[in-house]
Each structure stands twice: as C-alpha cells, then as structure tokens.
Amino acid sequence: MPTDVASDSGSAEAMPRSWQVHRLGSPEEALRLERRPVRDPGPGEVRVRVEAAGLNHPDLLLCTGRYQERPELPFSPGFEAAGEVVSVGPGSVRRVGERVAVVPELPEGAFQESLTVPDAQTYPVPDSMPATTAAVLHVAYTTAHAALHHRAGLRPGERLLVTGAAGGVGSAAIQLGRAAGAYVVALASGSAKAEACRELGADLVLDPDDPDLVDRVRELGGADVTLDVVGGDVFDRVRRCLAFEGRLVTVGFAGGTVPQAPVNHVLLRSYSLIGLHLATYRRENPDLLRHIHAELVDLVAAGVVAPRVTALPFDQAPAALGLLARREVIGRVVLTV
C-alpha cells in the first residue's frame, strides 16, 4: 500500500491526509494516502475536521470504475463522514465548533481528514452522538427510512421482508421496521449474521438460499413490504413472496446482478415495484432528507436506532474496504481519525 507523500507531523493541520484514487483497481491497487493542502471555505461553505468516515458498497465500485458515477482521476471516495466545523465562510449557517454529519460530493469524497463543503452538504448532530454513529447515519439509515416510510408507506402490523439484512441498509431496516411496529423477516446467510439480525430485532431470520423460502414467507401471509438491496436471484425469489398489493422497494444491487422484473407477474399479483436512489433525493427533495435526518437523530437519542459499527484507523482504508468486499461486515465499517 502506498504511504504518505509527506510525513512531517507539524504539517498535519495545513496538509491533512487524503485517500486518493489515481488509477482504477482493487482498493489495495487504487488507493494512495497523500497529504493535501486545505481549502478555506467560501461563501456559504464550511471546513470540517473529520473524526470518522463511513464506508459503503459503492466505494468499492468507485475504486474499480463500476459505479454509475465515474469522477475524473484522481478523486477521493467516500459518501459520508462526521466531524467538527473548524472554519466558516461568509453567510454560512454553521458555527465554529458545531458537530455535523457531512455528505460530500465527488470528486472530493469523505475519505479525507479535512473537508470543505457547502452548508447544504452538512447535517447537524448533537455533541452527545459519537462520531462513529454520526458518520454512518445518512446513507444506510436515511435510505431505509425513505424506502420504508416515504416510498412503501409501511404500517404497524404489516410484514416486512429485508434482504441483505446483516449489512448497512438491511440492519437499519430491521431497526426502523421494528420501531414502526412491523413484523420483520430478515434474510441472512450464516449463523453469525442470523444471530446479529435477531439481536437487531428481527422476528424471524431465514436463509436466502432456502429452497422453501417462498413457501415459508407465504405461510405467514406474504410480505406486505420488501426492501431489497441485493438484486439478482434474491430479487426473483422475494418478489414471489409478496402479499396481495405488496410493495417491493429496490435500493441497490449488492449481489452484482441487476434483475429483470416480469411485468406480467406484477400485474397478476397486483404488487408495486418501487425504486429509491438517495442521491436523486439530495437533488430533487433535500427537505425530505433533512426531515428524516432529524427523526433519526431523535431515534438514536431514544435508543431505538443503534448502528452496529466496526471501526478501523484512517490509514487502513484498503483493509476496511476489503472487509466489505468479502462480506465479512455485520452492520457498518468506519474509518476513525
């Protein structure tokens, strides 16, 4: 793994570290840890000293060039971070010393010790919230919340089926589903992930490769709402688990294959296929995301939402992404500064 291009500890404030992708490949091949000068905030901007950065599956795709966004080289990956505001530009709504979650836009991603961003890319968090929690609250939990409530209209007493349930969005959906009063069925492979889903609050855990999966869910009455993060063959199985007038929300394809939905089956079973892409909402309906963020902060304070986090030091980003690639993570992985 390439190391810092500068090692003078006295320059750490003026030249914070940044993970940069100079050529596409595996994280070990693509990522270089460098020192870069900070940019002072302009009008309506802030500079944030990063305390933690959350890792997501799209970060792997960015490194290999398989994500839908392909920023010019070099760029820094990372879609969410948390830290302290250390400088504000003219007209900024933030204040020095305020703690925020940051949702930066590429090519200046979250895998940096310092971020200068517009106010619109920051979300306030209370001083009592750990940075490792604030750094993983936006992508997974906002996605799950928007999918279950804004898109699917999940109601108390309904049956919720969650794929990839031990992962980031899946584990968030379990907790939010229980908080909404739903009966939660989680799909997870292996005993460790199954036990983690139960600890998160799942009422029933099933193996996604169980040949009797469809029958077992239908015996419960079918899934009123399904949140799918996997795609591929799993999507094909869970769509057959839907109850009459069920809603299937697709938020990603972690399995690597984009499924094709047979519209005749949608018609005959009278269910709804619904999509949700969080980045689109940041452009088209940012007020909704700020409303959800405020609700999530309250749920964390109440102990209803408690992200399960594995933390690694900032300089171990390639190893941390390797955990995601091998699907060895339960919950979320963060880099701590």
Side-chain angles (χ1 to χ4, degrees):
M1 178 190 72
T3 56
D4 291 340
V5 297
S7 58
D8 180 7
S9 60
S11 67
E13 179 64 23
M15 296 281 283
R17 296 179 300 173
S18 171
W19 282 104
Q20 294 286 313
V21 173
H22 285 267
R23 64 186 181 96
L24 301 177
S26 68
E28 293 79 5
E29 298 169 331
L31 288 169
R32 287 176 53 186
L33 187 57
E34 305 173 347
R35 292 198 182 275
R36 302 178 71 206
V38 299
R39 181 174 70 83
D40 291 331
E45 291 186 327
V46 297
R47 181 161 68 88
V48 177
R49 182 172 59 241
V50 173
E51 299 170 3
L55 278 65
N56 294 276
H57 187 261
D59 294 317
L60 288 169
L61 302 180
L62 276 171
C63 289
T64 57
R66 293 181 293 129
Y67 192 56
Q68 55 258 37
E69 293 184 57
R70 297 188 178 183
E72 291 187 8
L73 299 172
F75 65 87
S76 178
F79 292 91
E80 57 186 338
E84 179 184 350
V85 175
V86 294
S87 180
V88 299
S92 171
V93 300
R94 300 293 173 222
R95 56 178 173 78
V96 173
E98 186 176 9
R99 297 188 66 252
V100 292
V102 187
V103 186
E105 292 188 359
L106 301 173
E108 295 296 329
F111 293 5
Q112 306 188 75
E113 290 183 322
S114 178
L115 291 170
T116 300
V117 297
D119 289 350
Q121 295 175 18
T122 63
Y123 295 76
V125 297
D127 291 343
S128 59
M129 183 180 292
T132 51
T133 297
V136 300
L137 200 58
H138 185 80
V139 172
Y141 280 88
T142 302
T143 295
H145 193 292
L148 298 182
H149 295 291
H150 181 68
R151 298 295 281 150
L154 180 67
R155 298 183 289 269
E158 288 194 311
R159 294 170 296 274
L160 168 65
L161 179 63
V162 180
T163 73
V169 176
S171 60
I174 292 175
Q175 295 180 65
L176 293 172
R178 283 300 301 271
Y183 180 92
V184 181
V185 180
L187 301 190
S189 301
S191 58
K193 291 183 178 180
E195 182 58 30
C197 290
R198 295 186 189 97
E199 293 173 357
L200 289 164
D203 296 283
L204 177 65
V205 183
L206 300 175
D207 190 316
D209 296 323
D210 183 347
D212 298 322
L213 172 64
V214 176
D215 290 338
R216 295 189 66 179
V217 177
R218 285 184 175 177
E219 287 171 0
L220 300 172
D224 299 297
V225 174
T226 293
L227 178 62
D228 179 41
V229 303
V230 178
D233 294 339
V234 172
F235 175 92
D236 288 331
R237 285 193 289 275
V238 297
R239 68 174 173 78
R240 291 186 283 123
C241 296
L242 286 165
F244 173 69
E245 292 189 335
R247 292 89 75 197
L248 194 164
V249 188
T250 179
V251 300
F253 315 109
T257 303
V258 178
Q260 302 297 314
V263 179
N264 62 325
H265 190 257
V266 177
L267 183 152
L268 292 173
R269 296 286 297 171
S270 298
Y271 61 83
S272 301
L273 290 178
I274 305 168
L276 184 138
H277 184 230
L278 194 64
T280 303
Y281 277 81
R282 285 199 287 270
R283 294 190 299 268
E284 302 291 341
N285 194 354
D287 289 343
L288 172 68
L289 302 190
R290 296 202 172 273
H291 173 72
I292 291 174
H293 175 79
E295 286 197 13
L296 290 172
V297 168
D298 289 342
L299 290 171
V300 171
V304 175
V305 164
R308 183 164 174 170
V309 173
T310 299
L312 279 77
F314 183 77
D315 60 5
Q316 293 184 23
L321 286 171
L323 294 177
L324 282 184
R326 296 187 298 274
R327 302 189 183 184
E328 296 176 0
V329 176
I330 295 175
R332 298 296 306 278
V333 181
V334 300
L335 302 174
T336 57
V337 180

